[in-house]
């Protein structure tokens, strides 16, 4: 497993990370706490040492599980959590978004609670969770700097979501000197606004890193959602229209060449190729897939060992993306396209598509 620096913070993250939204909730399959702890330990043993959790995942349960899993191994782990949602005073309604609180008093209390659950006195990365650009005030930025200066936080990030298209927020994360990383949905099929942030970082000379989540496009690129898959009502991906999956399966067939790269020894699974494509961008520090079990951990952590995407493959993918992978029909997502304030997204010619947490 290779590691990359997060911005210029000195914090190194494994190129493949553990998205701990999978533990502490039943949104990605139901498992006992012991099974969840064992899965985290298995990932660490496979070299997946960047662990990305959040206080709202299971309303603290994910952090508590991570704290137990890394007990005695804290020095092996690059630990990240997120704060900003007020789940203490608001009930969870399905997968709906909770109210946010981004003021000094609330953030301080939330951060202290996270440290308690994680059983640590510092985190390597602290991220603001889905904060709108107008919520990240000078007061908030001052507080984040204080935590960084006193050593309780080593690096800062801004996590975007749950939908794609947070253009102003990502641009602010790149612009503000406090932030070392911006986390966003980014994959071969859903490339905006990730591409925009990569280009902005290159053009501005910023040190900001991109953290890519949902790298497998909600089950398409790891082929866990196939034409034979029946998504249950409680599955977080079931809100996607069937046309989105149908066009997605056609796109997968258009990129089968990635599984057997030309001119080099070795093969890749589609899931591994999707990760390698993201890591072909120097600006991407880590990719956090949603591991469901040991098989996922074994396959996806091994993406570090398969052939990287070649220049010729990258260019071919660029051409296919420009042609919508030669799929000439609607993906059914128009009814779900929204925007935070909308104007910045529209002005940039970008879509904002509903996506999973």
């Amino acid at each position: 497993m290779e590691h990359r620096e997060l911005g210029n913070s000195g914090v190194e993250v494994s190129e493949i990370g553990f998205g701990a939204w999978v533990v502490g909730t039943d949104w990605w399959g139901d498992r006992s706490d012991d099974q969840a702890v064992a899965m985290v330990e298995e990932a660490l043993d496979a070299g997946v040492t960047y662990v990305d959790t959040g206080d709202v995942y299971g309303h603290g349960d994910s952090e508590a599980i991570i704290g137990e899993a890394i007990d005695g191994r804290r020095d092996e782990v690059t630990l990240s959590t997120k704060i900003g949602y007020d789940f203490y005073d608001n009930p969870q309604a399905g997968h709906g978004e909770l109210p946010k609180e981004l003021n000094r008093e609330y953030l301080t209390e939330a951060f202290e609670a996270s440290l308690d659950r994680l059983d640590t006195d510092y985190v390597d990365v602290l991220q603001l969770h889905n904060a709108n650009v107008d919520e990240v005030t000078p007061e908030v930025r001052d507080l984040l700097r204080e935590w960084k200066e006193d050593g309780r936080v080593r690096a800062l990030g801004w996590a975007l979501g749950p939908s794609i298209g947070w253009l102003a927020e990502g641009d602010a994360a790149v612009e503000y000197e406090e932030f070392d990383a911006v986390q966003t949905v980014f994959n071969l099929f859903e490339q905006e606004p990730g591409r925009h942030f990569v280009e902005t970082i290159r053009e501005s000379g910023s040190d900001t890193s991109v953290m890519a989540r949902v790298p497998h496009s909600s089950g398409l690129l790891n082929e866990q959602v196939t034409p034979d898959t029946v998504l249950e009502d409680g599955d977080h991906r079931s809100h996607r229209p069937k046309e989105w999956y149908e066009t997605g399966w056609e796109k997968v067939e258009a990129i089968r060449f990635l599984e057997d790269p030309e001119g080099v020894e070795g093969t890749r699974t589609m899931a591994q190729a999707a990760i390698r494509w993201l890591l072909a961008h120097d600006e991407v520090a880590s990719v956090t897939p949603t591991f469901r079990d040991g098989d996922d951990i074994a396959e996806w952590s091994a993406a570090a060992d398969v052939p990287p995407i070649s220049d010729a493959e990258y260019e071919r993918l660029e051409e296919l993306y420009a042609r919508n992978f030669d799929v000439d029909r609607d993906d059914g997502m128009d009814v779900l396209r929204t925007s935070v304030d909308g104007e910045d997204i529209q002005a940039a010619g970008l879509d904002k598509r509903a996506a999973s947490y």
Side-chain angles (χ1 to χ4, degrees), residues 3 10-14 16-20 37 39-53 62-63 65-81 118-125 154:
H3 295 76
V11 174
E12 291 196 344
V13 293
S14 55
I16 300 164
F18 187 96
V37 168
M39 192 165 72
V40 177
E41 293 173 337
E42 189 172 356
L44 296 178
D45 291 340
V48 180
T49 56
Y50 173 62
V51 178
D52 182 352
T53 186
S62 177
E63 289 181 324
I65 288 169
I66 296 303
E68 180 179 352
I70 67 174
D71 184 32
R73 306 182 69 172
R74 179 66 182 89
D75 60 349
E76 299 176 40
V77 178
T78 305
L79 180 61
S80 174
T81 196
L118 292 165
D119 194 21
T120 186
D121 56 4
Y122 76 99
V123 293
D124 299 282
V125 188
R154 297 180 61 208

XYZ file of all heavy atoms in Angstrom, residues 3 10-14 16-20 37 39-53 62-63 65-81 118-125 154:
412
model
N 1.275 5.525 0.183
C 0.679 6.616 0.952
C 0.934 7.936 0.242
O 1.922 8.079 -0.483
C 1.257 6.654 2.369
C 0.909 5.448 3.186
N 1.537 4.229 3.007
C -0.004 5.272 4.174
C 1.021 3.354 3.859
N 0.091 3.962 4.571
N 1.738 17.306 6.179
C 2.619 16.311 6.754
C 1.899 15.033 7.141
O 2.530 14.047 7.529
N 0.580 15.025 7.029
C -0.223 13.839 7.328
C -0.285 12.964 6.079
O -0.668 13.427 5.004
C -1.652 14.227 7.762
C -2.520 12.987 7.927
C -1.606 15.030 9.050
N 0.103 11.704 6.229
C 0.063 10.771 5.113
C -1.110 9.816 5.273
O -1.372 9.315 6.368
C 1.374 9.991 5.007
C 2.551 10.849 4.574
C 3.734 10.022 4.108
O 3.770 8.806 4.399
O 4.614 10.598 3.442
N -1.810 9.579 4.169
C -2.966 8.689 4.171
C -2.716 7.544 3.204
O -2.052 7.715 2.179
C -4.255 9.444 3.764
C -4.636 10.461 4.819
C -4.105 10.131 2.399
N -3.227 6.360 3.532
C -3.129 5.243 2.596
C -3.958 5.569 1.358
O -5.015 6.192 1.445
C -3.609 3.944 3.243
O -4.922 4.072 3.760
N -5.785 3.868 -0.378
C -7.128 3.304 -0.247
C -7.511 3.394 1.216
O -6.766 2.960 2.095
C -7.167 1.850 -0.745
C -6.748 1.792 -2.218
C -8.570 1.253 -0.567
C -6.376 0.425 -2.705
N -8.639 4.031 1.475
C -9.061 4.263 2.848
C -10.283 3.442 3.209
O -10.940 2.839 2.344
N -10.601 3.436 4.483
C -11.761 2.714 5.008
C -12.848 3.731 5.323
O -12.720 4.525 6.252
C -11.399 1.930 6.269
C -12.498 1.035 6.786
C -12.527 -0.306 6.452
C -13.503 1.546 7.597
C -13.538 -1.135 6.920
C -14.524 0.735 8.067
C -14.545 -0.607 7.733
N -13.918 3.724 4.534
C -15.049 4.604 4.782
C -15.917 4.018 5.877
O -16.677 3.066 5.638
N -15.817 4.563 7.084
C -16.458 3.948 8.244
C -17.926 4.313 8.383
O -18.533 4.030 9.417
C -15.692 4.303 9.520
N -16.035 -4.466 14.149
C -14.671 -4.314 14.657
C -13.728 -5.229 13.894
O -12.622 -4.817 13.494
C -14.619 -4.612 16.169
C -13.175 -4.752 16.638
C -15.321 -3.511 16.952
N -14.012 -6.321 10.912
C -13.828 -5.856 9.545
C -12.807 -4.713 9.505
O -11.955 -4.659 8.606
C -15.161 -5.399 8.954
C -15.118 -5.174 7.453
S -16.752 -5.053 6.703
C -17.281 -3.460 7.294
N -12.871 -3.807 10.476
C -11.885 -2.722 10.532
C -10.491 -3.290 10.743
O -9.524 -2.880 10.082
C -12.234 -1.723 11.658
C -11.161 -0.637 11.749
C -13.606 -1.088 11.411
N -10.372 -4.253 11.646
C -9.070 -4.866 11.913
C -8.533 -5.559 10.669
O -7.325 -5.498 10.383
C -9.187 -5.852 13.067
C -9.493 -5.184 14.400
C -9.775 -6.181 15.507
O -10.159 -7.339 15.183
O -9.624 -5.812 16.690
N -9.408 -6.196 9.916
C -8.989 -6.862 8.682
C -8.472 -5.853 7.661
O -7.481 -6.099 6.968
C -10.161 -7.659 8.106
C -9.800 -8.557 6.940
C -10.942 -9.474 6.538
O -11.990 -9.474 7.214
O -10.777 -10.196 5.526
N -9.130 -4.702 7.581
C -8.686 -3.657 6.664
C -7.311 -3.126 7.077
O -6.428 -2.934 6.232
C -9.702 -2.524 6.615
N -7.117 -2.903 8.372
C -5.816 -2.433 8.844
C -4.724 -3.439 8.507
O -3.628 -3.062 8.065
C -5.852 -2.188 10.353
C -6.783 -1.085 10.865
C -6.722 -1.010 12.388
C -6.436 0.258 10.254
N -5.022 -4.717 8.681
C -4.047 -5.757 8.368
C -3.706 -5.774 6.879
O -2.599 -6.181 6.495
C -4.575 -7.125 8.787
C -4.659 -7.286 10.297
O -3.983 -6.522 11.014
O -5.420 -8.165 10.757
N -4.649 -5.321 6.038
C -4.432 -5.281 4.590
C -3.728 -4.000 4.143
O -3.513 -3.796 2.947
C -5.765 -5.417 3.848
N -3.380 -3.136 5.103
C -2.672 -1.908 4.773
C -3.561 -0.704 4.592
O -3.078 0.384 4.254
N -4.860 -0.869 4.793
C -5.812 0.242 4.675
C -5.810 0.973 6.014
O -6.598 0.662 6.912
C -7.214 -0.269 4.302
C -8.196 0.898 4.190
C -7.169 -1.056 2.997
N -4.930 1.941 6.154
C -4.711 2.573 7.459
C -5.359 3.943 7.599
O -5.348 4.516 8.698
C -3.201 2.699 7.738
O -2.584 3.414 6.666
C -2.563 1.318 7.866
N -5.900 4.495 6.514
C -6.666 5.726 6.629
C -8.111 5.344 6.919
O -8.758 4.639 6.123
C -6.585 6.559 5.351
C -7.512 7.764 5.382
C -7.347 8.766 6.330
C -8.570 7.875 4.487
C -8.206 9.856 6.388
C -9.423 8.965 4.522
C -9.241 9.950 5.481
O -10.102 11.022 5.542
N -8.641 5.789 8.059
C -9.992 5.448 8.491
C -10.801 6.732 8.586
O -10.447 7.658 9.321
C -9.977 4.724 9.847
C -11.401 4.419 10.303
C -9.165 3.431 9.755
N -11.900 6.785 7.853
C -12.702 7.999 7.710
C -14.090 7.749 8.292
O -14.900 7.039 7.705
C -12.790 8.355 6.219
C -13.563 9.640 5.956
O -14.160 10.180 6.898
O -13.565 10.098 4.808
N -14.361 8.324 9.452
C -15.673 8.168 10.075
C -16.319 9.538 10.238
O -15.862 10.529 9.675
C -15.557 7.417 11.421
O -16.873 7.156 11.917
C -14.757 8.204 12.443
N -20.565 4.647 14.982
C -19.403 4.358 14.131
C -18.119 4.777 14.822
O -17.126 4.026 14.822
C -19.536 5.076 12.779
O -18.390 4.861 11.978
N -18.105 5.950 15.423
C -16.905 6.402 16.130
C -16.551 5.457 17.276
O -15.366 5.130 17.494
C -17.098 7.821 16.663
C -17.103 8.890 15.588
C -17.273 10.283 16.156
O -18.017 10.441 17.145
O -16.666 11.226 15.604
N -17.227 2.278 17.543
C -16.710 1.030 16.969
C -15.277 1.216 16.494
O -14.408 0.368 16.727
C -17.630 0.566 15.820
C -18.951 0.041 16.393
C -16.944 -0.501 14.969
C -20.019 -0.192 15.354
N -15.014 2.341 15.834
C -13.648 2.613 15.377
C -12.708 2.727 16.570
O -11.586 2.206 16.564
C -13.601 3.882 14.518
C -14.418 3.701 13.223
C -12.156 4.250 14.188
C -13.978 2.529 12.365
N -13.147 3.404 17.624
C -12.320 3.531 18.816
C -11.947 2.179 19.397
O -10.795 1.962 19.822
N -12.909 1.269 19.398
C -12.626 -0.081 19.898
C -11.687 -0.830 18.956
O -10.758 -1.515 19.396
C -13.934 -0.857 20.056
C -13.739 -2.272 20.581
C -15.047 -3.033 20.748
O -16.120 -2.404 20.606
O -14.987 -4.249 21.001
N -11.914 -0.683 17.644
C -11.129 -1.428 16.663
C -9.665 -1.013 16.636
O -8.784 -1.832 16.353
C -11.740 -1.271 15.275
N -9.390 0.256 16.918
C -8.006 0.727 16.842
C -7.324 0.767 18.207
O -6.191 1.234 18.325
C -7.919 2.117 16.171
C -8.565 3.201 17.044
C -8.547 2.081 14.780
C -8.392 4.615 16.493
N -8.010 0.263 19.224
C -7.414 0.219 20.553
C -6.121 -0.599 20.504
O -6.117 -1.751 20.063
C -8.389 -0.410 21.541
C -7.862 -0.393 22.965
O -7.135 0.553 23.311
O -8.176 -1.335 23.710
N -5.032 0.010 20.906
C -3.736 -0.644 20.850
C -3.033 -0.516 19.520
O -1.883 -0.956 19.370
N -3.721 0.111 18.526
C -3.131 0.265 17.191
C -3.212 1.710 16.712
O -3.089 1.984 15.528
C -3.848 -0.651 16.177
C -3.896 -2.102 16.575
C -4.572 -2.975 15.532
N -3.798 -3.099 14.316
C -4.110 -3.937 13.320
N -5.179 -4.720 13.407
N -3.354 -3.995 12.236
N -3.430 2.624 17.661
C -3.659 4.023 17.282
C -2.529 4.577 16.426
O -2.769 5.362 15.496
C -3.845 4.885 18.545
C -4.057 6.376 18.273
C -5.369 6.631 17.549
N -5.576 8.029 17.243
C -5.170 8.626 16.126
N -4.496 7.941 15.207
N -5.421 9.914 15.912
N -1.281 4.173 16.726
C -0.155 4.726 15.980
C -0.056 4.189 14.567
O 0.700 4.711 13.750
C 1.163 4.480 16.725
C 1.451 2.996 16.950
O 0.543 2.166 16.729
O 2.588 2.666 17.346
N -0.845 3.158 14.224
C -0.875 2.619 12.863
C -1.874 3.357 11.974
O -1.838 3.216 10.750
C -1.270 1.137 12.870
C -0.363 0.201 13.627
C -0.923 -1.212 13.620
O -1.451 -1.636 12.570
O -0.837 -1.887 14.665
N -2.773 4.113 12.604
C -3.962 4.615 11.916
C -3.873 6.111 11.671
O -3.479 6.882 12.548
C -5.225 4.296 12.758
C -6.474 4.863 12.090
C -5.350 2.796 12.966
N -4.249 6.517 10.462
C -4.512 7.924 10.167
C -6.015 8.108 10.313
O -6.798 7.655 9.481
C -4.051 8.300 8.754
O -2.678 7.959 8.598
C -4.228 9.793 8.504
N -6.424 8.747 11.389
C -7.821 8.767 11.809
C -8.492 10.086 11.450
O -7.975 11.152 11.762
C -7.890 8.536 13.323
C -9.268 8.528 13.978
C -10.130 7.416 13.400
C -9.119 8.371 15.496
N -9.644 9.965 10.803
C -10.411 11.149 10.418
C -11.837 11.025 10.923
O -12.428 9.934 10.908
C -10.434 11.301 8.896
O -11.280 12.374 8.502
N -12.405 12.127 11.387
C -13.828 12.162 11.684
C -14.413 13.476 11.184
O -13.682 14.368 10.737
C -14.118 11.939 13.176
O -15.515 11.616 13.335
C -13.773 13.168 14.016
N -13.991 8.057 20.250
C -12.847 7.465 19.566
C -11.744 7.053 20.533
O -10.788 6.382 20.130
C -12.288 8.450 18.540
C -13.191 8.729 17.334
C -12.721 9.985 16.591
C -13.206 7.530 16.374
N -11.863 7.475 21.789
C -10.890 7.166 22.832
C -9.489 7.616 22.420
O -8.516 6.853 22.475
C -10.892 5.665 23.143
C -10.157 5.347 24.445
O -10.002 6.263 25.278
O -9.722 4.189 24.623
N -9.402 8.869 22.020
C -8.129 9.443 21.596
C -8.099 10.906 22.009
O -9.158 11.503 22.264
C -7.931 9.304 20.074
O -6.623 9.742 19.705
C -8.965 10.110 19.305
N -6.911 11.488 22.078
C -6.830 12.909 22.410
C -6.541 13.775 21.199
O -6.339 14.985 21.333
C -5.787 13.151 23.506
C -4.403 12.628 23.141
O -4.221 12.140 22.005
O -3.509 12.704 23.994
N -6.505 13.159 20.006
C -6.337 13.937 18.778
C -6.853 13.137 17.594
O -6.989 11.903 17.672
C -4.863 14.286 18.543
C -4.027 13.118 18.033
C -3.735 12.997 16.673
C -3.560 12.131 18.895
C -2.982 11.917 16.195
C -2.816 11.072 18.436
C -2.521 10.960 17.080
O -1.799 9.898 16.614
N -7.172 13.815 16.519
C -7.459 13.153 15.245
C -6.481 13.671 14.206
O -6.030 14.817 14.272
C -8.911 13.381 14.767
C -9.903 12.691 15.692
C -9.231 14.855 14.622
N -6.133 12.820 13.281
C -5.214 13.227 12.223
C -5.892 14.173 11.232
O -5.259 15.094 10.712
C -4.693 11.991 11.496
C -3.931 11.066 12.425
O -2.766 11.374 12.731
O -4.520 10.056 12.866
N -7.178 13.938 10.986
C -7.930 14.770 10.049
C -9.306 15.056 10.646
O -10.001 14.131 11.065
C -8.108 14.089 8.676
C -8.731 15.064 7.676
C -6.794 13.536 8.145
N -4.480 17.462 13.210
C -3.250 17.590 12.422
C -3.529 18.122 11.016
O -2.672 18.760 10.406
C -2.545 16.241 12.325
C -2.074 15.691 13.667
C -1.391 14.358 13.506
N -0.206 14.480 12.652
C 0.278 13.488 11.899
N -0.331 12.305 11.895
N 1.357 13.671 11.165
